[in-house]
Amino acid sequence: MSDGEGERKALGVVPKFLAQIERCIARDEPVCMVLPAFPFKSVNKTTKVLGSLPDKGEEVALRHLDHMCQAIREVYKYGARVYIVSDGLVYNDLLGVSDQEVWKYGQALRQMAKDCMCHNIRFARLRDLLGAGEFPEPTSEEVYVEYAPQIRAEIVRRFLPRGFDPTEAIAKDPDMNHTYCGYARFMATELANTIHDMPSRLKRRHCKDVAKGMIVRGKAFAEAIAGAFPNHLRLSIHPSTETTKLSVSVVPQQGKCQMTPWHSALVRAVDGSVTMCHAQAVCTTTHELIFEHGRPSYFRERSDLFAWPGMDVVFEHLYPSGIRVTLRDQSSGESVHGAYVQKLVELGNACSPIVLCNFGNGLAADECGTEAKSRAVETGHIVDIKA
């Protein structure tokens, strides 16, 4: 065994993944990855999520994936790209989600990626896996909905291996078993609103049948992705043996249970750390529901540091760290003064840096804030952006 081979084995590098990376390097190309994810918001909008459109959870996930690509660029000049292939149309009819809802979620997600300037993320549709010209580009919701059932059926017809037996596959394939068990576990809460009148035995049977149906669709989908992206590193949101795909958490989050933003709500602590959990499980005594663009977006830990009476400000956590404090009325010419400066310093100690926007005179030196201002600037906690 050569030194290089020994090093690869010690690092646990799977030859397949290494070959894909080396191919990109040899061609001076970005390291390309493909991630089947971001289908649609959970069917259970009563207890699990905050709505049907992408919210702060998806935003953090997109920024996280884009940042991963930026980090690769720091050590490899051509960087990396992540291709997101939504699996929404693969499974939505099994769960009772309309094609219209899948379209609206996907369009909002694409716009979010643009607004967040996630330049290292690309999107591919299910139709793209079938080859150019097979189905028209969905230029509107009407076109998308018209062809969605045909595209879904064609993926299964063309790519599901002949004679595929999901029961046998679940028993023999460790990765498929991981995925199936995950599906079966969360179906009880995912479908809670539609199966609540069923007897317990029928509920369990129905959840298992849906999970098995998803395994069949997922197998065809995986084969389609492998054919369309043969040289891309295959990422997965599901636990795996990491022999054919690499498991990733799309949101950097606290806790052992890793949740996706389309099955949960994002919860921010004062220090900026993130937890994902079912929306109904968040205690509103300790956390406040934050709205963005007129819609509920995430929960934020309650704190006096976010209470600025007499001043209309918006707090926005930045990625990967920091808080932007924006004065809504730019024309007011207000500055950060008095007790507000001390609050900024404490916020900066918890989640640096602090970015000020639209404050006419930035940080005012007054009887309450001179020392605090000096200390904050010296420690680099505050970046003062003037209008």
Side-chain angles (χ1 to χ4, degrees):
M1 181 182 297
S2 69
D3 290 342
E5 290 173 337
E7 183 178 344
R8 293 170 189 172
K9 185 175 181 180
L11 292 172
V13 179
V14 176
K16 174 185 175 181
F17 302 143
L18 190 63
Q20 290 170 321
I21 295 171
E22 288 177 339
R23 180 181 182 277
C24 295
I25 294 174
R27 295 175 176 232
D28 292 337
E29 296 175 346
V31 175
C32 290
M33 297 163 272
V34 59
L35 174 65
F38 299 91
F40 43 78
K41 282 293 193 181
S42 168
V43 181
N44 187 346
K45 296 174 179 63
T46 304
T47 64
K48 294 180 72 172
V49 294
L50 297 173
S52 60
L53 294 175
D55 52 35
K56 185 62 75 175
E58 278 84 358
E59 179 186 325
V60 171
L62 290 174
R63 292 187 186 277
H64 186 54
L65 292 170
D66 189 68
H67 185 76
M68 175 182 68
C69 295
Q70 293 176 33
I72 291 173
R73 186 179 295 277
E74 292 178 3
V75 296
Y76 173 59
K77 69 177 181 179
Y78 296 102
R81 289 182 192 146
V82 173
Y83 288 77
I84 294 173
V85 187
S86 171
D87 48 357
L89 279 185
V90 179
Y91 306 116
N92 65 310
D93 61 319
L94 295 175
L95 299 171
V97 175
S98 69
D99 296 336
Q100 289 91 337
E101 184 171 329
V102 177
W103 163 263
K104 290 174 182 176
Y105 177 89
Q107 289 300 99
L109 188 75
R110 285 164 169 78
Q111 186 60 52
M112 178 178 281
K114 290 180 182 177
D115 294 342
C116 295
M117 295 184 289
C118 294
H119 302 305
N120 300 298
I121 291 178
R122 305 287 188 275
F123 291 93
R125 297 188 185 277
L126 207 59
R127 66 174 285 279
D128 300 325
L129 307 183
L130 295 169
E134 188 81 15
F135 290 94
E137 177 70 27
T139 54
S140 67
E141 180 180 323
E142 291 72 24
V143 174
Y144 184 87
V145 170
E146 178 182 354
Y147 288 98
Q150 300 173 49
I151 293 172
R152 185 163 45 236
E154 183 62 17
I155 287 287
V156 175
R157 187 195 70 80
R158 188 182 303 184
F159 293 103
L160 185 67
R162 188 181 300 274
F164 176 74
D165 182 346
T167 301
E168 182 180 1
I170 291 166
K172 293 183 177 180
D173 185 325
D175 280 346
M176 205 161 288
N177 185 272
H178 277 308
T179 302
Y180 171 76
C181 290
Y183 286 158
R185 276 195 304 270
F186 83 72
M187 281 301 158
T189 54
E190 183 69 7
L191 301 176
N193 294 333
T194 57
I195 65 175
H196 64 278
D197 290 332
M198 292 183 182
S200 296
R201 179 178 58 83
L202 290 182
K203 284 182 182 179
R204 290 192 294 271
R205 180 73 267 162
H206 181 72
C207 289
K208 289 182 178 180
D209 288 345
V210 172
K212 192 169 289 187
M214 291 178 69
I215 286 295
V216 173
R217 298 275 185 90
K219 177 61 175 177
F221 184 44
E223 294 292 327
I225 287 177
F229 298 92
N231 298 312
H232 290 55
L233 289 170
R234 172 70 152 81
L235 306 181
S236 175
I237 62 167
H238 301 291
S240 72
T241 57
E242 301 200 334
T243 54
T244 61
K245 54 188 179 181
L246 296 170
S247 298
V248 296
S249 177
V250 293
V251 175
Q253 55 191 283
Q254 304 291 311
K256 293 181 180 179
C257 181
Q258 300 290 293
M259 291 187 173
T260 61
W262 48 94
H263 285 133
S264 58
L266 185 141
V267 183
R268 282 277 191 189
V270 174
D271 65 4
S273 59
V274 169
T275 304
M276 304 296 295
C277 66
H278 292 166
Q280 193 178 62
V282 180
C283 177
T284 54
T285 302
T286 57
H287 291 79
E288 176 184 6
L289 180 59
I290 304 298
F291 284 69
E292 295 182 326
H293 312 295
R295 302 192 305 270
S297 185
Y298 69 103
F299 292 93
R300 186 180 68 204
E301 183 181 2
R302 293 184 184 275
S303 170
D304 287 341
L305 299 180
F306 297 118
W308 290 35
M311 194 176 290
D312 190 6
V313 295
V314 178
F315 298 91
E316 178 189 2
H317 280 88
L318 305 175
Y319 185 91
S321 179
I323 299 175
R324 179 185 291 116
V325 184
T326 303
L327 183 66
R328 287 187 192 272
D329 185 4
Q330 182 175 342
S331 63
S332 68
E334 289 206 58
S335 60
V336 181
H337 59 277
Y340 300 131
V341 176
Q342 185 57 43
K343 291 192 177 195
L344 281 183
V345 173
E346 292 184 35
L347 279 174
N349 286 333
C351 187
S352 179
I354 303 298
V355 179
L356 303 180
C357 294
N358 293 346
F359 289 90
N361 295 313
L363 289 167
D366 61 16
E367 68 282 358
C368 296
T370 304
E371 183 180 351
K373 173 185 175 181
S374 175
R375 190 166 64 252
V377 173
E378 285 175 3
T379 56
H381 287 314
I382 296 178
V383 178
D384 185 6
I385 297 181
K386 296 185 178 180

